[in-house]
Amino acid sequence: MTNLAIEIAGKKFQNPVMPASGTFGYGEVYTDFFSPNELGAVVCKTIKYESWEGNPTPRTCETSCGMLNAIGLQNVGREKFVKEKMPFLRQLKTNIIVSIAGSKIEEYGQLAARLDPVEGIDFLEVNISCPNVEAGSQVFGTNPDMAAAVTNAVKNNTHLPIIVKLTPNVTDITVIAKAVEAAGADAICAINTLLGMSIDINTGKPRIAKTKGGYSGPGIKPIAIRMVYEIAEAVKIPVIGVGGIMNWEDAVEFMMAGATAIQVGTATFVDPMTMPKIIKGLAEFLEKQEIDDIKKLIGTVKT
Amino acid sequence: MLIEKARVAYNYNVSPGIYKIIFDAPKISKSAQPGQFVMIKCEGKQTFLRRPLSIAGTKSENLTINLVIKVVGIGTKWLAESTFGDTLDLLGPLGHGYTLTNLAGKKILLVAGGIGMASMIFLAEELSRHRKQDLKVNILFGAKTLELDDGNCFYASIKNLFPSSYREKITTTTEDGSYGHKGLVTDILPSIIEKKEINQIFACGPKAMLKKVAEISQAHNVPCQVCLEKRMACGVGACYSCVCRVKGHNIRVCKNGPVFEAKEVDWS
């Protein structure tokens, strides 16, 4: 038997596969297809301190090898999340990772403090990388001092381990990675979407209402692999790799680049069974390669 | 909802750009309701996301579902080229369809604009199975044109998509006057409501049409359900792409709709 389990911040994950925030609702959306208990973790759609209605439509469009989105962090807010979404999440047997965002640094701290005593949360994922909201988020992820300040604010208000999710829309992602590590991040998640744009040539108008949006899907995979590789070289904390993963082969590639775990986002929209298929594919690959422990794949790229 | 590998049993070019495709889809056909849709994985070179398409009918005896589609882009073009025996990946049935309770004795009008007829065909089929309830059903169908390049009219092929019992109950409008009344469905909607004493409306079509239908039905104090169309990515409520304003909030069309009470939708 091969061992698919990995560990982040002392917590065990039965396998390294989890959804990317914003693609799996609050864990309830895909239960007709498989049980979230099969996953290494459930990552919730980002919540903010106050509920938010998000951006105007159209919010998404298809592009070559993926899609653009500018949803704008539509979310139910902290109280409704705790009251209406946590009861379902709490009874799951896998790790629960709650993604959080704020418009100001203090708001991240306040939200972390509110969620800290809530039973059933295993990690906070700090989203400092959403490209689609005006007041902040990505701006925190593009400046090392701000990224560190947000990490600090969350860390000082919770006992939970925290994962900081980084934006690829920077010149050197290792500078940000080192800054959040120094500020107390327990893990790094990379990458969020790449800022992109698409125009309908018949109308001359942008194809999404916010003009620009985050590009996701298989088109971004080589960039994500490169960034995961760079971050894993630069920091000691675990990296969760995300960006364009469509199948188990992609997952292996991310782990070889240095990822301890991986997230699947856009691929689930195309095939809801992507994540269970990846878990199965990873187990079969290890068996075939006679590798007894998936941790032995991490960072094994021969450069 | 489930994923079903469905075989194309029939693909028929109804009129320019309009195709009727029948799939062997025993699982989806069993539970599909009018107003619901499927997300189809299009395997063309340039397509990535699934395409949402209204279910235009089911046949319980041979476990098939029908789609009536219009070619509007690369996904629907690929779909239109599918042929007998092809196996496609369908996700469905999805969404919340028309509410068909308390209809006994009602005088019902189905308003279909263009390819919005797809869900109306399914609804008409379903209503025709409710004969005992003493329903009176009329259909108002609008199109840009019903004229072919050679000058012939293709109204008959569109009409034949509807169940036979209602084919003589269809009133038609065309924007170019090529068949039926010249103009829009909403031009003659008020007089039909009054003449036929309509007390329940179901509508599917372009947003501008639905907005007007909502206004007219409200002015006549007639309950109206509308089936909305919105660009989608996941189709199951995960991504929040397809929201519309309902009772002051952004609500997911794919999950909470696509059918809504017209008066609850913010049409601005």
Side-chain angles (χ1 to χ4, degrees):
Chain A
M1 266 303 274
T2 52
N3 180 22
L4 285 183
I6 54 104
E7 219 173 80
I8 295 172
K11 288 242 184 196
K12 191 185 163 187
F13 290 65
Q14 60 182 338
N15 63 60
V17 180
M18 58 183 98
S21 78
T23 65
F24 205 64
Y26 302 98
E28 79 293 13
V29 178
Y30 287 99
T31 47
D32 279 9
F33 300 97
F34 63 93
S35 163
N37 287 329
E38 292 179 34
L39 304 172
V42 165
V43 185
C44 300
K45 182 165 171 58
T46 300
I47 58 159
K48 298 184 80 182
Y49 197 72
E50 303 292 351
S51 67
W52 187 248
E53 290 288 332
N55 288 332
T57 59
R59 290 174 166 185
T60 47
C61 72
E62 185 176 72
T63 63
S64 34
C65 302
M67 61 182 281
L68 292 180
N69 90 79
I71 307 298
L73 297 184
Q74 177 171 349
N75 78 99
V76 295
R78 69 195 187 284
E79 295 308 333
K80 224 172 168 186
F81 170 75
V82 172
K83 202 169 152 231
E84 293 175 13
K85 309 297 179 186
M86 272 314 293
F88 173 75
L89 292 163
R90 193 174 289 130
Q91 51 86 33
L92 295 176
K93 290 176 188 75
T94 189
N95 290 311
I96 301 302
I97 301 176
V98 178
S99 173
I100 61 167
S103 308
K104 295 178 189 148
I105 291 172
E106 308 85 75
E107 208 182 305
Y108 279 92
Q110 287 161 355
L111 186 51
R114 173 66 187 90
L115 296 174
D116 183 63
V118 176
E119 193 201 328
I121 302 176
D122 298 291
F123 285 83
L124 296 182
E125 183 177 271
V126 187
N127 181 356
I128 57 168
S129 46
C130 177
N132 301 322
V133 285
E134 263 131 36
S137 216
Q138 178 171 246
V139 65
F140 300 121
T142 55
N143 175 311
D145 296 335
M146 299 256 264
V150 172
T151 307
N152 251 316
V154 176
K155 200 68 195 169
N156 291 338
N157 281 287
T158 184
H159 75 288
L160 294 169
I162 71 167
I163 302 158
V164 181
K165 185 165 180 181
L166 303 187
T167 172
N169 302 313
V170 293
T171 312
D172 182 355
I173 201 163
T174 64
V175 175
I176 314 287
K178 284 182 201 159
V180 301
E181 179 185 42
D186 297 282
I188 285 170
C189 178
I191 57 176
N192 206 318
T193 55
L194 281 145
L195 198 57
M197 183 169 162
S198 177
I199 300 166
D200 180 335
I201 60 164
N202 294 312
T203 61
K205 287 182 181 166
R207 291 170 68 211
I208 55 176
K210 290 287 284 180
T211 304
K212 296 179 280 184
Y215 178 37
S216 65
I220 75 167
K221 195 187 78 174
I223 300 164
I225 297 270
R226 186 261 296 177
M227 289 190 160
V228 165
Y229 173 72
E230 288 176 341
I231 296 166
E233 294 273 290
V235 300
K236 292 191 176 63
I237 52 178
V239 183
I240 301 171
V242 51
I245 296 177
M246 298 298 287
N247 48 46
W248 66 265
E249 291 94 331
D250 295 342
V252 170
E253 205 178 332
F254 270 82
M255 294 191 78
M256 286 179 169
T260 297
I262 58 103
Q263 294 184 346
V264 178
T266 309
T268 300
F269 299 161
V270 180
D271 179 4
M273 287 300 285
T274 304
M275 285 189 282
K277 284 178 184 170
I278 288 176
I279 295 166
K280 189 164 170 273
L282 286 173
E284 286 169 2
F285 175 71
L286 293 180
E287 204 147 308
K288 209 170 147 202
Q289 299 286 316
E290 295 178 352
I291 301 168
D292 60 352
D293 190 334
I294 199 163
K295 291 191 280 294
K296 290 181 182 168
L297 279 183
I298 300 168
T300 53
V301 58
K302 297 166 188 160
T303 49
Chain B
M1 56 182 170
L2 51 90
I3 297 167
E4 187 161 35
K5 303 281 183 195
R7 205 178 58 120
V8 175
Y10 179 77
N11 182 353
Y12 164 66
N13 186 195
V14 176
S15 65
I18 307 283
Y19 293 79
K20 177 174 178 174
I21 308 176
I22 302 178
F23 291 94
D24 292 323
K27 290 178 193 155
I28 293 175
S29 76
K30 250 178 224 166
S31 59
Q33 298 296 322
Q36 288 191 302
F37 63 99
V38 289
M39 294 288 283
I40 299 193
K41 199 169 166 188
C42 297
E43 314 274 1
K45 278 187 189 134
Q46 300 293 321
T47 48
F48 177 69
L49 296 168
R50 288 173 183 265
R51 297 297 191 269
L53 293 148
S54 281
I55 300 171
T58 59
K59 287 269 183 301
S60 52
E61 63 273 24
N62 48 7
L63 305 173
T64 56
I65 67 165
N66 306 335
L67 300 184
V68 174
I69 68 157
K70 181 183 171 185
V71 175
V72 293
I74 52 175
T76 43
K77 182 169 182 287
W78 178 85
L79 195 55
E81 286 163 3
S82 64
T83 55
F84 174 78
D86 289 350
T87 300
L88 273 59
D89 182 314
L90 272 58
L91 171 58
L94 302 173
H96 168 87
Y98 298 102
T99 303
L100 302 178
T101 46
N102 305 322
L103 291 183
K106 284 268 169 77
K107 292 169 180 153
I108 297 167
L109 181 66
L110 311 186
V111 186
I115 197 60
M117 69 178 146
S119 79
M120 285 301 154
I121 294 166
F122 191 3
L123 180 55
E125 267 180 17
E126 186 64 27
L127 293 176
S128 71
R129 292 173 195 139
H130 286 238
R131 286 268 179 67
K132 282 183 208 142
Q133 295 195 10
D134 187 31
L135 307 178
K136 296 226 166 18
V137 178
N138 280 279
I139 296 168
L140 175 54
F141 170 71
K144 279 199 167 68
T145 182
L146 285 168
E147 194 174 59
L148 294 165
D149 288 341
D150 63 12
N152 283 317
C153 174
F154 59 87
Y155 173 70
S157 47
I158 297 287
K159 183 181 82 170
N160 288 338
L161 295 170
F162 285 89
S164 53
S165 50
Y166 294 143
R167 280 176 202 159
E168 304 316 314
K169 303 281 185 183
I170 304 173
T171 307
T172 304
T173 66
T174 50
E175 288 178 36
D176 63 358
S178 52
Y179 188 86
H181 301 260
K182 186 175 180 182
L184 303 170
V185 288
T186 45
D187 296 340
I188 59 169
L189 177 59
S191 67
I192 293 178
I193 293 175
E194 287 155 27
K195 235 183 274 167
K196 308 262 183 196
E197 299 172 328
I198 299 298
N199 50 19
Q200 175 67 53
I201 293 175
F202 298 95
C204 185
K207 193 184 167 193
M209 177 199 106
L210 294 180
K211 181 183 178 182
K212 202 79 205 278
V213 170
E215 284 167 13
I216 294 168
S217 62
Q218 208 160 348
H220 287 76
N221 210 13
V222 178
C224 175
Q225 295 178 29
V226 291
C227 184
L228 301 183
E229 183 186 44
K230 213 64 178 170
R231 195 186 293 164
M232 293 176 185
C234 74
V236 298
C239 72
Y240 287 74
S241 295
C242 63
V243 298
C244 68
R245 293 295 277 181
V246 175
K247 292 197 261 184
H249 293 288
N250 284 337
I251 301 292
R252 293 166 294 179
V253 169
C254 71
K255 191 78 189 171
N256 306 92
V259 177
F260 295 95
E261 285 293 333
K263 61 175 189 226
E264 291 178 356
V265 177
D266 178 354
W267 295 99
S268 54

